[in-house]
Amino acid sequence: MAHDLLTLAFQRPAIDWHGIAPELVLLSMGALITLVDILFLEKARPYTAGLAGLGLLATAVPLLTLAVDGADRVMFSGAYVIDDFSLIMKAVFLLAGYVVVLLSTNYVAEGDYWENEYYGLLLASVMGMVMMASARDLVSIFVALELLSIPAYLLVAWRKRDLHSTEAGLKYYLMGVFASAVMLYGMSLLYGVTGSTLLSEVGAGVAAAGTSTAVVTMGIVFVVVGFAFKVSAVPFHTWAPDVYEGAPTPITAFLSVASKAAGFVALLALVFVGFYSRSEVWEPLIWVLAALSMTVGNLIALRQTNVVRLMAYSGVAQTGFMIAPLAVAGHGLANGDQALSATVTYLVIYTAMNLGAFAVIISLARRTGSADVTSFAGAFHFAPGLTIAMTVFLFSLAGIPPLGGWFAKFEVFRVLATAGEPWGYVLAAVGAVNSVIALYYYAALARRMWADDPLHGDRNPVPMTPSLASALVLCGVVTLAFGVAPQLVARFTDVSLLALGG
Amino acid sequence: MLLNQFLLLSAVLFAIGVYGVLARRNGVLVLMSIELILNAVNLNLVAFGAFRETVGGEVFALFVIAVAAAEVGVGLAMVLLLYRNRRSIDLTQIDQLRG
């Protein structure tokens, strides 16, 4: 076989330069930051945050031209695809990355951390996510997953001399690497039974009669479990609260939104393109993950006293809602597409509202240096604007109209209820009960901020910075706009993976 | 060619690796156990690739090897960082974050 390979002339694959322009821009900006760091060292520090933000915005330009062009592009014999689904997710990753840069600007500069490398790694991680949105091949999914994870491990442990940060980094690293190793084992089995790493061919091979059911089941379960770690679904969520608490808070925001969304993107591509015909395997698995995530996440969130940990468990519960439509996605094409749209809609809206909540947490924690719930008590007396913003984001997370989170939850319930399947109704009921539990702790935090007295009667105002303020305004406007006019988001999230067949 | 023998060896390696990750307390040994799992994957991929006579598996294995090297580089840096901060790489002792 090796001999045959050597005698083949090398043929350069046809590359669609317009199609990979976003990745190229992002890559060159990341390289530029590294170069500026090497050339100017400390003198470059004040400029790298701006450079990183600029890089993310510049990446959005080719993304827009691709969206205007509108044609689906297929590269590398189907391993890399640009379609509506990948474009909307790329836009989410870029915007999330941009907001995280805004959140980091002062946090990193004031904390005396390494700054140039921080933004370089952040861009590398966003690059992995942008690649993940297009990956339709086991190899490219794996490479994108590692490209987004490895910089994230480093960023979590960024506060080098802080034991909490080191502990968080090591836990995240060990859990993440273990999960990706298990996922790889599943992928190797799927490659073995289908003879291809291309998702569309894996899909065809898995569907074919005579394919070993036991091996396929094992492969699918391992891969789904691997990504369940990434999106922090119960019972694979144990790393999330510790990592969120120990990491620098802007990185926590990044993980809770962008990294989770990247895990979902891969999971959606795998389930809809690769495993769709084996719904009897992944539907029950995802049903259990969804029900457990919602219930366990919410119940543990009830007794948290640290707001970052509270957001971690709330994020686990939100994962349950995002994954829930997939539990009934295997019943025909129309139903599958609706489930896909519901999950993507939820991801888009969740990104805006969760980043907004973290922007408030970072602003308020700047004052006392702690994210303990006592730092938030009576915030209305010293930071009325932040309190109003936090209330908006919390109620949006709880799903109260007319805020964005309402539409996200509505879509999920609609898919569950119209699937015409008993298990769908049961999951919808579990979700409804959990919405009420979630409202309790979101509202309890909001009540403390409005009604309680400030800690030690300290009423000094919170020092705001332009970058934090713009992050807040951006997230707030998006959260409100999507709630008042849901057609704005629905227009972009009406995507399909099934009609294309990959 | 007997595919079974390779798959069996790979499954055994995978099981030993998982056991090591769950049971070992020493950071470096956990990293080595993760390497065992990744090598089980490589063995699987190469065996399937040879069996199916497509190069996809071998190419995938090369990617896994390259990425695993980067991963372990980061992992060793983390363990070193832990050692500098705590003078110990016993993983059961890192339990400051909980609740």
Side-chain angles (χ1 to χ4, degrees):
Chain A
M1 193 166 58
H3 178 73
D4 295 343
L5 276 177
L6 287 175
T7 52
L8 280 173
F10 176 71
Q11 276 189 328
R12 196 170 68 95
I15 296 176
D16 182 346
W17 294 105
H18 188 194
I20 57 167
E23 285 83 348
L24 290 178
V25 174
L26 202 51
L27 182 66
S28 30
M29 286 311 277
L32 183 68
I33 288 179
T34 314
L35 199 66
V36 165
D37 174 38
I38 294 169
L39 290 179
F40 301 106
L41 301 171
E42 286 299 295
K43 272 182 277 176
R45 278 190 71 155
Y47 306 106
T48 33
L51 216 52
L54 195 69
L56 290 164
L57 290 183
T59 311
V61 175
L63 207 62
L64 280 177
T65 61
L66 281 170
V68 170
D69 183 51
D72 291 339
R73 292 154 188 269
V74 178
M75 272 178 278
F76 308 119
S77 55
Y80 207 77
V81 175
I82 316 266
D83 53 12
D84 292 346
F85 170 70
S86 66
L87 284 179
I88 177 74
M89 289 318 297
K90 283 180 196 208
V92 168
F93 294 136
L94 289 180
L95 274 179
Y98 184 66
V99 173
V100 171
V101 170
L102 288 179
L103 297 182
S104 310
T105 309
N106 292 89
Y107 188 94
V108 181
E110 288 161 16
D112 194 30
Y113 307 123
W114 295 92
E115 221 173 332
N116 303 346
E117 293 85 347
Y118 178 95
Y119 293 108
L121 287 173
L122 192 66
L123 284 200
S125 190
V126 174
M127 166 96 186
M129 294 165 185
V130 168
M131 279 180 65
M132 183 71 101
S134 284
R136 298 287 186 280
D137 182 289
L138 296 181
V139 183
S140 49
I141 286 178
F142 165 66
V143 172
L145 176 72
E146 295 301 330
L147 181 56
L148 78 90
S149 301
I150 294 177
Y153 301 143
L154 292 166
L155 289 171
V156 167
W158 208 245
R159 299 187 290 159
K160 266 178 84 175
R161 279 163 198 78
D162 182 282
L163 209 51
H164 286 188
S165 190
T166 307
E167 176 179 343
L170 197 64
K171 274 184 179 166
Y172 187 40
Y173 172 82
L174 289 175
M175 284 295 192
V177 173
F178 182 51
S180 66
V182 169
M183 176 205 75
L184 269 178
Y185 194 76
M187 283 184 170
S188 77
L189 294 178
L190 288 170
Y191 165 73
V193 285
T194 60
S196 171
T197 55
L198 212 59
L199 276 196
S200 51
E201 284 177 28
V202 169
V206 159
T211 312
S212 163
T213 315
V215 181
V216 169
T217 306
M218 218 156 90
I220 292 178
V221 169
F222 279 175
V223 171
V224 172
V225 164
F227 281 103
F229 268 103
K230 198 81 215 154
V231 302
S232 65
V234 178
F236 310 107
H237 69 292
T238 44
W239 59 272
D242 293 354
V243 171
Y244 284 17
E245 190 186 346
T249 322
I251 293 304
T252 306
F254 184 64
L255 291 184
S256 75
V257 169
S259 172
K260 183 175 285 192
F264 265 106
V265 167
L267 197 60
L268 290 171
L270 282 162
V271 161
F272 280 99
V273 186
F275 311 152
Y276 196 72
S277 54
R278 292 294 177 121
S279 58
E280 76 274 10
V281 178
W282 52 263
E283 271 195 340
L285 184 64
I286 286 180
W287 196 95
V288 172
L289 289 177
L292 277 180
S293 300
M294 287 192 256
T295 316
V296 175
N298 276 332
L299 288 180
I300 304 182
L302 281 176
R303 54 176 181 81
Q304 294 304 317
T305 54
N306 182 308
V307 178
V308 173
R309 282 189 91 86
L310 179 109
M311 290 305 289
Y313 282 109
S314 121
V316 170
Q318 302 275 357
T319 295
F321 277 101
M322 286 180 229
I323 207 173
L326 294 186
V328 293
H331 291 64
L333 297 184
N335 206 21
D337 273 345
Q338 276 192 357
L340 176 68
S341 303
T343 303
V344 174
T345 308
Y346 209 116
L347 279 172
V348 173
I349 295 175
Y350 173 76
T351 302
M353 57 195 184
N354 215 43
L355 278 177
F358 270 105
V360 177
I361 292 172
I362 291 169
S363 310
L364 282 176
R366 262 162 66 84
R367 191 163 163 275
T368 54
S370 144
D372 198 81
V373 82
T374 50
S375 304
F376 289 69
F380 184 67
H381 297 291
F382 53 84
L386 285 176
T387 310
I388 294 169
M390 189 63 167
T391 314
V392 167
F393 295 127
L394 287 176
F395 281 141
S396 179
L397 282 166
I400 307 272
L403 303 165
W406 154 77
F407 182 63
K409 283 219 167 57
F410 171 77
E411 284 287 284
V412 169
F413 283 122
R414 192 168 62 91
V415 169
L416 288 175
T418 53
E421 206 196 352
W423 288 107
Y425 296 125
V426 177
L427 196 55
V430 173
V433 172
N434 273 296
S435 300
V436 179
I437 303 177
L439 179 61
Y440 175 77
Y441 62 79
Y442 289 133
L445 180 58
R447 190 190 58 79
R448 287 193 81 133
M449 292 179 71
W450 284 90
D452 282 11
D453 285 327
L455 187 65
H456 312 311
D458 178 7
R459 288 172 189 237
N460 295 325
V462 173
M464 277 305 281
T465 67
S467 58
L468 277 176
S470 29
L472 266 172
V473 169
L474 194 65
C475 297
V477 167
V478 171
T479 306
L480 279 170
F482 284 169
V484 176
Q487 65 274 17
L488 280 179
V489 61
R491 214 181 119 219
F492 293 110
T493 54
D494 185 19
V495 289
S496 168
L497 278 172
L498 290 168
L500 287 173
Chain B
M1 191 187 80
L2 284 173
L3 181 62
N4 285 355
Q5 298 170 348
F6 292 102
L7 296 191
L8 202 63
L9 174 62
S10 152
V12 170
L13 278 179
F14 179 76
I16 296 174
V18 171
Y19 171 76
V21 171
L22 299 178
R24 285 286 164 188
R25 299 166 48 180
N26 183 306
V28 175
L29 284 177
V30 171
L31 283 183
M32 286 169 70
S33 306
I34 288 171
E35 282 295 292
L36 269 187
I37 305 180
L38 290 174
N39 282 323
V41 172
N42 287 337
L43 195 61
N44 245 357
L45 287 170
V46 174
F48 278 130
F51 178 72
R52 297 229 163 230
E53 299 192 340
T54 56
V55 284
E58 282 90 339
V59 173
F60 200 164
L62 282 177
F63 273 98
V64 173
I65 292 169
V67 171
E71 250 176 15
V72 170
V74 170
L76 286 174
M78 294 262 197
V79 174
L80 197 63
L81 187 61
L82 181 71
Y83 181 74
R84 281 195 180 152
N85 282 337
R86 284 205 70 115
R87 297 281 141 195
S88 154
I89 53 169
D90 189 337
L91 295 179
T92 50
Q93 284 178 13
I94 53 165
D95 53 1
Q96 298 209 340
L97 298 169
R98 53 173 59 195

